[in-house]
Amino acid sequence: MSARALSFGMVAKRYERYRPGYPVELVDLVSTYAGRPIRTALEIGAGTGKATRLFTAREVTVTATEPDGAMLAELRQHVPADVRTVPAAFEDLRPGAARYDLVYVAAALHWTRPAGRWSRMAALLEPGGVFASFGGPVQLTDPAVADAVRAVRAPFLDSDEIPSPDGTHPEEAMQWPGTELRRSEWFTDVQQSVIGRRLTMSARDYVGYLSTVSAYLELPSEAQGRLFRQIEQILPETVELSADIVVHLARRRTER
């Protein structure tokens, strides 16, 4: 995994504090798509366990994998004791060692290696099992505020976003990873849905959120501090945010 992918452990507690969780509508969407009970699930790149908690609350037995020890330690403080935790990256998991009704990834699939991604994912699923990927950017809704933040950020960073891993244009109807799933011989019935979400944060909490974004974590600590102070100074007391969750669902082919 890239250094950027493994940069979150240094801010594990901030990640838990400032990153938004996930709404219960997400579990409803996945369950309806599955069309059968989901009893076991594997999470790839579980972070501090925000999505883990969502599924365990529905009595799903979750195995949470995470390569960063600090993130995994934070996760263990917030999930039920019966959640099995595995300190491993996706590529380190042994395909076929266990199979699950559901494999899901919350805002972390772009950190996995493209080569063999879908055959490895399929090997972790029961035939007919469900793969789910979900996440999305947290963006300022006020154009003037967003422009002001971009202007302050420009000397430090060109962008704080991660481009589509396969180059899909943002205006295309089907976004990544749905584009890859449609091309994969291992999966079928690919669906994309959006759960609309609006959030309100204090300026300080929004800067706290930015301090958990990988683009900022790559900056030297002195530059980080200076940039965050400048951003907080130009923000209104509270900010409105668009935090839509884009959900991709696919089913492992039974004939493979």
Side-chain angles (χ1 to χ4, degrees), residues 80-249:
D82 61 353
V83 171
R84 179 172 175 249
T85 57
V86 179
F90 170 59
E91 293 78 10
D92 297 328
L93 300 176
R94 290 192 300 127
R99 289 188 174 182
Y100 302 85
D101 299 322
L102 168 69
V103 174
Y104 66 93
V105 192
L109 188 65
H110 51 282
W111 300 126
T112 63
R113 191 178 303 143
R117 178 187 283 139
W118 300 115
S119 59
R120 181 178 292 273
M121 201 72 74
L124 296 166
L125 280 165
E126 295 284 358
V130 173
F131 168 76
S133 174
F134 44 89
V138 175
Q139 299 174 321
L140 293 159
T141 58
D142 187 320
V145 175
D147 286 345
V149 170
R150 276 192 291 270
V152 168
R153 189 186 65 211
F156 301 85
L157 288 171
D158 291 333
S159 173
D160 60 4
E161 296 183 358
I162 295 175
S164 172
D166 68 351
T168 300
H169 192 276
E171 297 303 318
E172 290 292 329
M174 177 61 74
Q175 288 293 300
W176 184 90
T179 46
E180 279 189 15
L181 284 161
R182 281 183 168 177
R183 297 191 294 267
S184 170
E185 62 182 321
W186 295 96
F187 289 89
T188 187
D189 191 21
V190 179
Q191 296 185 17
Q192 175 179 287
S193 302
V194 178
I195 300 173
R197 186 170 62 164
R198 296 295 180 270
L199 304 174
T200 301
M201 287 186 186
S202 69
R204 178 160 296 183
D205 281 0
Y206 177 66
V207 171
Y209 162 78
L210 293 181
S211 75
T212 72
V213 173
S214 61
Y216 297 93
L217 293 175
E218 287 199 307
L219 294 172
S221 58
E222 188 277 332
Q224 282 184 42
R226 187 151 40 97
L227 175 55
F228 293 147
R229 286 192 294 272
Q230 291 180 20
I231 290 175
E232 188 171 353
Q233 286 170 2
I234 64 166
L235 291 174
E237 187 175 339
T238 61
V239 293
E240 302 296 324
L241 303 165
S242 169
D244 293 351
I245 301 169
V246 182
V247 185
H248 288 95
L249 297 164

